[in-house]
Amino acid sequence: MPVFIAPASAEDIKLIYNKNEAKHFVHMLQEALEHTKEMGAYELAETPSPMAAPRAISAIVDNTGELHVITRGSNIEDEKKLLPVRIPLDRGLLGWRLMLVRKQDLPKFAAVNSLEDLQRLKVGQGSQWPDTKILRQAGFNVVGGNYSPGLMRMLNEERFDMFARAPWEAAPSLKTAEDMPDLVLEPSLVLVYPLPRYFMVSQTGNGPALAKRIETGLRRMMADGTFDALFEKYFGSFVESTQLKSRKVIRMDNATLPPETPLNEPGLWFDPTGTPAPAKAAPVKTAARS
């Protein structure tokens, strides 16, 4: 089993990430370590096979040595178990949600001017997806499904009014529904809630030292332009293809975020419109509207 050596001083580390981790986040991790080489040399390695999220989280929490870092969308429950590096790796773009709809309903969406207008419509999401909890706690009527192609069929069958997707998910979802020509990407709206994806490590052992090194590296990347360049490389095409800059922004709070979420650091968050981000995470609610 590989040994992980704490980077408390200038010591070498071998850092293991999940085999199914998105390659652009691995690139960002490598750059963060490269920007902190005075803290020690490093070697990155992937797990022999992909690890499902529950197993990956357990491996980090228990310090088994199988895995040292993962990326996760932030929520209170995960942050009770894992130590987040609170710099949104995609500038919070994960929380920018576009709507797949039926063509005949486009006039209905063109008339939406507020969060309350949008909440009158039913939204489809995966039953186990974190977005389902976020949307329900915000007051949406969410219809659950098992997976994206199935949800596209449910949308086509008028089981709900819209299917909320991240900017990089919209086109692939439509491609799975080429036999459903009435389904389209709604062209005028984007629902935005704060949902940062972070690097997360262990709260114990070498975890805090590793988190400090990764945060130092990411902040140096932000200072010298590397972070912006990687954001543009990996996310710029989605921003352009979905025309985020020209959409009407509908903002809402995210009650699943911990109060430590850095919402008051605007430089960390994507916002092409200049609209102020929420000043705080929403209070946690004990009951959700279904």
Side-chain angles (χ1 to χ4, degrees), residues 100 148-150 152-153 163 170-180:
L100 302 179
S148 179
M152 294 296 285
R153 286 195 295 273
F163 181 21
S173 292
L174 282 174
K175 189 166 183 62
T176 68
E178 290 179 334
D179 59 335
M180 305 174 207

Side-chain angles (χ1 to χ4, degrees), residues 47-246:
T47 55
S49 58
M51 297 175 69
R55 183 186 167 203
I57 291 171
S58 294
I60 293 178
V61 170
D62 296 339
N63 280 324
T64 64
E66 300 171 271
L67 183 67
H68 302 120
V69 59
I70 57 174
T71 63
R72 295 282 290 169
S74 174
N75 61 76
I76 291 171
E77 293 306 312
D78 276 1
E79 291 200 25
K80 288 179 181 178
K81 298 177 287 188
L82 301 170
L83 179 61
V85 178
R86 291 193 177 94
I87 296 179
L89 298 174
D90 58 5
R91 295 197 182 278
L93 202 62
L94 183 61
W96 286 65
R97 294 288 158 162
L98 307 171
M99 302 302 166
L100 302 179
V101 304
R102 296 178 293 275
K103 285 181 183 177
Q104 61 265 32
D105 289 339
L106 286 174
K108 182 192 306 184
F109 285 90
V112 169
N113 290 303
S114 67
L115 178 61
E116 291 73 20
D117 291 342
L118 203 59
Q119 286 170 327
R120 295 187 183 101
L121 305 173
K122 291 183 180 179
V123 58
Q125 287 287 274
S127 298
Q128 302 303 315
W129 296 354
D131 311 275
T132 296
K133 184 176 182 179
I134 294 169
L135 290 165
R136 281 181 173 152
Q137 290 192 331
F140 279 88
N141 185 345
V142 182
V143 178
N146 291 327
Y147 55 101
S148 179
L151 283 158
M152 294 296 285
R153 286 195 295 273
M154 292 170 69
L155 175 63
N156 193 58
E157 294 166 2
E158 302 186 14
R159 301 273 297 278
F160 45 79
D161 301 295
M162 53 190 173
F163 181 21
R165 301 266 70 193
W168 51 86
E169 296 170 331
S173 292
L174 282 174
K175 189 166 183 62
T176 68
E178 290 179 334
D179 59 335
M180 305 174 207
D182 287 338
L183 301 186
V184 296
L185 175 62
E186 197 285 325
S188 64
L189 301 172
V190 57
L191 176 66
V192 179
Y193 44 87
L195 183 56
R197 182 180 291 276
Y198 299 140
F199 288 124
M200 294 192 179
V201 300
S202 176
Q203 294 181 350
T204 61
N206 303 303
L210 175 59
K212 182 177 180 180
R213 176 168 180 175
I214 293 173
E215 179 173 2
T216 298
L218 290 174
R219 290 196 177 276
R220 289 177 180 176
M221 290 164 61
M222 294 173 69
D224 71 7
T226 305
F227 196 101
D228 284 345
L230 290 179
F231 179 86
E232 180 61 29
K233 176 178 180 178
Y234 292 116
F235 298 104
S237 62
F238 300 116
V239 172
E240 292 302 317
S241 65
T242 57
Q243 299 180 312
L244 289 187
K245 295 180 181 180
S246 61

Side-chain angles (χ1 to χ4, degrees), residues 1-44:
M1 182 179 298
V3 176
F4 175 56
I5 305 172
S9 57
E11 297 185 45
D12 296 351
I13 59 171
K14 182 169 185 178
L15 186 59
I16 301 174
Y17 61 88
N18 202 341
K19 187 178 180 70
N20 62 4
E21 187 63 77
K23 298 306 180 187
H24 46 280
F25 294 136
V26 176
H27 190 176
M28 296 183 81
L29 178 61
Q30 182 178 10
E31 286 289 346
L33 296 173
E34 189 70 17
H35 276 67
T36 52
K37 286 193 296 186
E38 81 281 359
M39 297 183 183
Y42 67 89
E43 178 186 351
L44 283 175

Side-chain angles (χ1 to χ4, degrees), residues 237-271:
S237 62
F238 300 116
V239 172
E240 292 302 317
S241 65
T242 57
Q243 299 180 312
L244 289 187
K245 295 180 181 180
S246 61
R247 289 176 177 268
K248 182 186 301 180
V249 176
I250 306 292
R251 290 192 180 274
M252 73 178 207
D253 292 322
N254 178 356
T256 72
L257 290 181
E260 297 85 359
T261 305
L263 297 174
N264 290 323
E265 287 191 65
L268 299 181
W269 303 88
F270 172 76
D271 193 347

